[in-house]
Amino acid sequence: EDVRRAIELIERMVDAGTKPAKDRKGVPLPTDQSFEYAILALANISDAEAAIQEADKLIQMMEEQEHLERSIVVYNAYLKLCAKQMFGKAELYEKALETLGRLKEMSKQHTAASPSSETLSLVIKSCSLAERTDHESVLATASNLFDQLVAKEADEKSAEALTDGCYYHMMRCVNTHVIDEVERKDKIEDLFSEACQRGLCSNSILTLFRNAVSEEDYILTVGKGRLADSWVANVTGPKALYTDGSKGGAGKNARRHGKSTSDWAKNQKLKDSQRVASKEAKRAKKFFKKIKN
């Protein structure tokens, strides 16, 4: 019902735009935000096909508004809707690439429709959510877009174009589309290291990494206890503060009343490090050197 109301309101606004100002009866002209919200509202429709068709109509309607500059925020909303309504479908991959290609062409005349960093991230997300068998092609597409985002960053610690969501979906792409187990593990470790270095270690990224490596490698990499503040500094999604994926709470890491939590954490990390097998020490040192502040 709310979705239908939103679309009807857009239609009234569009109709008002065809009339002289004195005859609009106070009905405002639609804005890019009007179309953005209406498209996002379609995510609540259970009929995925109908939702996408309605969104296509709204996109066309927006493009016909002479007073409106074509805005990338509306097309990003469309990509978000497709990811939600076409989750797991092979066609999601083509839909995302088709939209991106259209935006690149459109931006030659409408600069406000130029693909943004969020646009590229959303296409990477579609790559990770679409169930495909052409693994090399999908991975190559996602990797190329990811590299474009990395190139926008000032240095290896900045997080202006890249987000924790982007890293998560790139890691998910690798986890799904890299067939060789050793190569897959190495790539995921590299992405996890980069995400931590940029302060983008979200709960989802931590969980994916934990599921992709052995328990020994996981502890060797992240240790036990509280995550470094610098690892989570730029996370915008669900955040974990501790290596078990939790946010902690009262008494976290304290084994008895009166014991200093901070001292316990320091001592526990020391004990953990002493239990690490010597054959792993060299690899651990290399990893931590890479993500050191």
Side-chain angles (χ1 to χ4, degrees):
E1 183 63 30
D2 289 341
V3 175
R4 176 45 51 190
R5 260 201 302 265
I7 293 175
E8 288 177 351
L9 179 58
I10 286 281
E11 291 173 342
R12 285 181 58 204
M13 290 178 175
V14 169
D15 181 63
T18 65
K19 301 175 181 177
K22 61 183 180 66
D23 297 331
R24 292 174 187 167
K25 299 180 180 180
V27 178
L29 298 181
T31 64
D32 54 354
Q33 198 170 60
S34 305
F35 286 99
E36 177 192 10
Y37 289 164
I39 290 173
L40 290 175
L42 292 169
N44 299 316
I45 292 182
S46 58
D47 187 336
E49 186 176 353
I52 299 299
Q53 290 177 351
E54 196 66 51
D56 288 335
K57 292 178 183 176
L58 287 170
I59 291 288
Q60 182 178 355
M61 195 182 297
M62 180 202 69
E63 292 175 351
E64 291 173 349
Q65 304 309 299
E66 295 182 359
H67 74 283
L68 269 185
E69 179 65 61
R70 299 182 187 185
S71 171
I72 192 60
V73 298
V74 179
Y75 297 97
N76 285 346
Y78 180 77
L79 285 169
K80 291 175 186 176
L81 173 69
C82 290
K84 172 76 182 297
Q85 293 288 14
M86 301 177 73
F87 180 93
K89 295 181 179 179
E91 297 80 17
L92 171 60
Y93 177 66
E94 279 97 357
K95 175 67 78 173
L97 289 188
E98 176 188 329
T99 303
L100 180 60
R102 185 163 179 266
L103 287 171
K104 288 180 177 178
E105 186 63 29
M106 188 188 305
S107 64
K108 294 176 182 178
Q109 294 183 328
H110 304 275
T111 56
S114 299
S116 63
S117 296
E118 184 180 11
T119 311
L120 302 187
S121 294
L122 287 168
V123 178
I124 292 173
K125 180 178 181 178
S126 295
C127 291
S128 79
L129 299 182
E131 292 188 4
R132 307 278 302 189
T133 56
D134 50 342
H135 301 297
E136 290 186 7
S137 177
V138 177
L139 183 64
T141 297
S143 298
N144 177 270
L145 295 173
F146 187 81
D147 288 345
Q148 291 180 45
L149 291 172
V150 170
K152 294 183 177 185
E153 296 293 355
D155 54 48
E156 60 187 11
K157 293 184 179 180
S158 70
E160 297 299 324
L162 291 160
T163 63
D164 50 286
C166 183
Y167 264 100
Y168 169 72
H169 287 291
M170 190 63 233
M171 290 173 70
R172 180 169 171 154
C173 276
V174 169
N175 202 40
T176 302
H177 298 294
V178 175
I179 306 303
D180 182 79
E181 185 177 347
V182 175
E183 181 186 1
R184 179 170 64 246
K185 180 172 173 289
D186 287 346
K187 286 181 178 294
I188 286 178
E189 286 180 341
D190 286 344
L191 286 167
F192 179 75
S193 170
E194 292 172 17
C196 291
Q197 197 170 12
R198 296 184 190 279
L200 297 172
C201 182
S202 67
N203 186 38
S204 297
I205 287 174
L206 191 67
T207 301
L208 193 156
F209 178 69
R210 185 169 196 167
N211 292 335
V213 300
S214 68
E215 185 66 16
E216 182 181 8
D217 284 345
Y218 180 76
I219 294 174
L220 175 66
T221 302
V222 305
K224 286 184 178 180
R226 190 177 178 92
L227 293 169
D229 290 342
S230 61
W231 285 21
V232 299
N234 298 313
V235 172
T236 56
K239 183 184 295 186
L241 298 181
Y242 290 84
T243 57
D244 62 1
S246 72
K247 288 188 176 181
K252 182 72 176 182
N253 287 338
R255 289 184 169 178
R256 67 173 181 264
H257 294 298
K259 185 173 181 68
S260 168
T261 300
S262 58
D263 286 343
W264 181 89
K266 291 178 182 178
N267 293 333
Q268 186 63 27
K269 285 185 178 181
L270 178 60
K271 290 177 183 178
D272 288 338
S273 66
Q274 291 173 340
R275 286 196 291 265
V276 173
S278 60
K279 65 179 181 179
E280 298 287 359
K282 185 176 179 180
R283 189 166 69 83
K285 183 178 180 181
K286 180 180 178 181
F287 179 88
F288 282 111
K289 183 179 180 181
K290 187 175 181 181
I291 61 175
K292 186 178 179 182
N293 292 330

